[in-house]
Amino acid sequence: MESVGKEPADRESASDAVNTMPQVEESGLGEREIHERVERGQTNLVDNPTSHSLAQIVRSNVFTLFNGIIFVAMLMVMATGSWRDSVFGLIIIVNTGIGIVTELKAKHTLDKLSILVASHPLVRREGRNVEIDHDDIVLDDLLWIRSGEQVPADAEILHSWGLELDESMLTGESNTVRKQPGDSAYSGSNAVSGLALARVSAVGKHGYAAKLTAQAKVYTTTVSDLNRGINKILEVLTFLVVPLCALLIWSQVRAVGGWSAAVSGGQWRQAVVSAVAGVVGMIPEGLVLLTSLNFAIAAMRLARKNTLVQELEAVETLARVDCLNLDKTGTITDGGIEFKALLPVDSLPVDGVGAEAGVGSGDDADDAADARGQVSREVTQALFDLANEENPNGTGRAVLEALSAQGYVAGQVDARMPFSSARKWSAIARKGDGVWYFGAPEVLLSALAQLSETAQLSGTAPISGTTSVDETRFAALSAAVAQYANHGNRVLLIAHRAGDIPADFDAEPRLDPHALPVALALCAERVRDDAADTLLWFREQGVRCRVISGDNPATVGAIATQVRLCGDKPVRTMDARELPEDIAELAQVLDKVDVLGRVMPEQKKAIVQALHRDDHVVAMTGDGVNDTLAIKEADLGIAMGNAAPATKAVAQVVLVDSKFSHLPDVVARGRQVMANMERVASLFLVKTAYSIIISLGVVLTGILFPYLPRHITYIGALTIGMPAFVLALAPNTRRYIPGFLRRVITFSLPSGIAIGVSVLLSSWFLPEIMQWDMHVKFNQRSLFTINAIIVFALGIVVLAQVARPLLSWRGALVALFAAAGIIGAFIPFVASFFALQLPSGGSLVATLAALAIGLLILATCQLIANLVRRNMPGVRLPHDRRMSRS
């Protein structure tokens, strides 16, 4: 395999990536050939939008079950000529308009951010390498498959420079597959290491994994606790509304003297209006709107801080997170790495003592290298060539930058084994010089020691002039590595096997038992300035953070200590190679570990599964392909903006500017939405509960419905609709706990029963006490007004309970809407429009007495509910001050 020489540069820029590809004979498609394939529809376009379309947004907001019910009810009332009682129909327009405008704004915001994180495949056309959009790939294009990228289309490998693919998303197998010329690469697989040039063999919907990759992208359906609870409520109401409406009409017709009297005297109009009043009250028309509205607003607010929420429903998951797994590189550290020193193995102390010297600053490390002896130019050149891969990782770029400044350039490389996160080492081979290995010291030393022992037992003699890695030297090297790592260094080992290149070097990645350690390379990562403060926020919020990394556990532990991962407590570290494979045992181990090092990609996934076993809600951050499996498995996958395309494709949230400090905003926004939705859901369901109770009482006792539709419109707007909108957007950082529906019902049902019973008692007994003839319109309106006042007053009391604590702006909010309701009754136009008739004289006394009885019933129902709740573990009210921070 030919080496690819290139000048070290900023490898992360698109232009450099284009200019540093290997030289190949193939020129790729020409402009005419591309145009022909586009005309035939042979492009990689898949109907898989990154956000809801305009039609989907309009359809989801307009054509809903309850919009249909309200619309029909409005037409029924308008048919009676009582247009003022059909004003509730405006709810459809308001709800629909707000929902559409908000979701369109969210779509516009999210689509702009989606462009920033979209992948741009590199293709070869007319002899030039160009980056294009994913959808612009055409059949027979020459596609460069680069490390860290997701393969965008099915292709056949033409040339391979050590390409290894992770096909786990297609096959379920976590092992990487090494690709040779003639092999197939399927869309949806991820390039773990190496590079290849391939010819596209299938595009768009014809791709092998088109459906799989579509599912990995945005706006997939998430079954949430909130949506599940609301859907159950709507299912129950669907079965109640239609039959209750029919029964209400029947009962109201009977109340006015039967069908003949109702039709001949026009009383059917009052019957229809009364029936609609009951139906409208049962429908929590704003609840569904506020749910989608809050998700969309949360996404927009996060977008302003460069955080892309790829699934709006994932906002709920943000609220429930109690366990955060952090990938060190790119999360706690900024991804930047500094090369510090290259230390010869022969000059290291045999007992490891003194290895801590020179592990502080870069200058100290250089002094240590001078004190222990200089590494030969041959070894340094080998390190340069080992790092000089097609797509070097952060460590490789740091090495190249530092050695280039010393005058090193690319040397001869006859064969290369690119770095793999699964193997944790890379290798190059030169004719006459043998093989050089570069990677994790503990992995290489352990493997070399075992291989050497096996070779000796089998009678295979070492090559003349070489010695195996004896136990003493192995222990000394391991001690030195541990000392350097304990001070926060990333330590890498260089080993050399002299002689000829093995015949199967390209075919099978393996270590030679005769390789000898020659030098240690010291690097260090730059810690983010905001890491310590961000971790402090999570500790205060009760979120358990763990660092899961592929690096040396001692190195990761030193960095975790530096950023105070566990506060004042010592950081507990562990080598992932010691982890049990059994998920149950792994769950027990994880409870006592803060930092895991040398974690393999499949282990990251197993760690998430083990945390799920203990009912944790897990968030996983990452930026590399090796994090993809764990991010996909986690409840909430969070990818950095500079992450591999495959990683961003499966994540629900992308931190576009890769700032770790955005995570508190992400979690806090989710908590705000969920905690506040519990508050407002309680308000809506109180109205639903008392409307059902009143409707059933009316049907069973044959009385007139106790208020008009316009009354419930007025009351609902002031005690539920407008306050709920304000409360839904208020700050709230309470961690969400599963059981949304149970908690909401245990609050709303007793309150709803109390209001419903109070209104029914008023309707049953006041006419007799006041000696009202209920066939007289004036008396009907007097009773309707008293009942409306009861519902309004008790509704304000419930609003005050939901809005607690009241010693804040929340108290002012309740007072404002209470005052608005009272003042409105004194404004002639408002009073006339909503049929509000202020009681006076005997009616005033009756109103006050009915209110006192209503408050007593409400207090009694809530007292009984509280006693029951105390015997139901885990149920607390959505406004409980112990669980809510405002």
Side-chain angles (χ1 to χ4, degrees), residues 13 103 251 277 316 489 557:
S13 68
E103 286 203 44
S251 69
E316 177 186 330
N489 289 274

Side-chain angles (χ1 to χ4, degrees), residues 144-157:
W144 288 104
I145 302 175
R146 299 174 287 183
S147 175
E149 293 185 338
Q150 188 175 56
V151 179
D154 294 0
E156 180 184 351
I157 306 296

Side-chain angles (χ1 to χ4, degrees), residues 43-61:
T43 67
N44 207 38
L45 180 64
V46 178
D47 186 17
N48 182 37
T50 56
S51 64
H52 288 133
S53 66
L54 174 61
Q56 288 175 316
I57 291 174
V58 171
R59 186 166 57 249
S60 64
N61 282 277

Side-chain angles (χ1 to χ4, degrees), residues 119-123 125 130-134 136-138 141:
S119 61
H120 298 282
L122 184 66
V123 297
R125 292 176 173 177
V130 293
E131 284 191 338
I132 61 174
D133 288 337
H134 173 278
D136 292 337
I137 296 173
V138 299
D141 249 332

Side-chain angles (χ1 to χ4, degrees), residues 97-112:
I98 292 175
I100 290 175
V101 169
T102 304
E103 286 203 44
L104 283 177
K105 191 171 181 180
K107 170 184 167 59
H108 178 67
T109 304
L110 298 181
D111 283 351
K112 286 197 300 184

Side-chain angles (χ1 to χ4, degrees), residues 418-431:
F419 178 80
S420 164
S421 59
R423 287 192 309 269
K424 300 196 181 301
W425 56 268
S426 61
I428 60 172
R430 296 191 180 103
K431 294 179 180 177

Side-chain angles (χ1 to χ4, degrees), residues 69 235-251 275 278-279 282 695-696 699:
I69 293 174
E235 287 173 8
V236 172
L237 291 180
T238 301
F239 287 104
L240 285 177
V241 166
V242 175
L244 263 181
C245 182
L247 288 172
L248 280 171
I249 293 176
W250 172 76
S251 69
V279 170
M282 293 180 218
S695 297
L696 289 174
V699 169

Side-chain angles (χ1 to χ4, degrees), residues 421-445:
S421 59
R423 287 192 309 269
K424 300 196 181 301
W425 56 268
S426 61
I428 60 172
R430 296 191 180 103
K431 294 179 180 177
D433 185 35
V435 180
W436 294 84
Y437 298 95
F438 182 49
E442 58 271 34
V443 174
L444 288 176
L445 287 174

